[in-house]
Amino acid sequence: MPTPTPSVPDAFRLFADALPERHRARGHAIPAAPSEGFTATVLVLAERAGAAAGPGQAAGPSGGGERTTALRLRARELSRSLPR
């Protein structure tokens, strides 16, 4: 029996949930810098679509250091500036 394919909202949620961890796992600031804006944007869009936690919680569990804090702040900024 074939494995069921996730629906588009489920797949987007899985993608959005995995991005912050990938962002945190980058070992150096240079490769992490371009992904910060993309990751924050996806988190805001997922939150707006009802597919993920809000931007305040979108960067994963508390902790995670400076990158997590920066990602949370960037997502909040984008959320405020993106029209509803």
Side-chain angles (χ1 to χ4, degrees), residues 4-82:
T5 304
S7 67
V8 171
D10 288 340
F12 187 56
R13 180 184 49 76
L14 292 170
F15 176 69
D17 288 347
L19 275 179
E21 184 58 37
R22 298 267 309 177
H23 178 73
R24 277 192 302 272
R26 302 220 183 260
H28 193 275
I30 298 301
S35 75
E36 182 178 304
F38 176 76
T39 302
T41 301
V42 169
L43 295 174
V44 172
L45 293 174
E47 182 262 332
R48 296 282 175 92
Q57 291 77 42
S62 58
E66 292 178 22
R67 283 198 193 141
T68 298
T69 301
L71 188 58
R72 289 175 195 270
L73 291 173
R74 185 72 178 129
R76 285 186 194 134
E77 286 174 18
L78 290 172
S79 183
R80 284 192 298 268
S81 64
L82 185 68

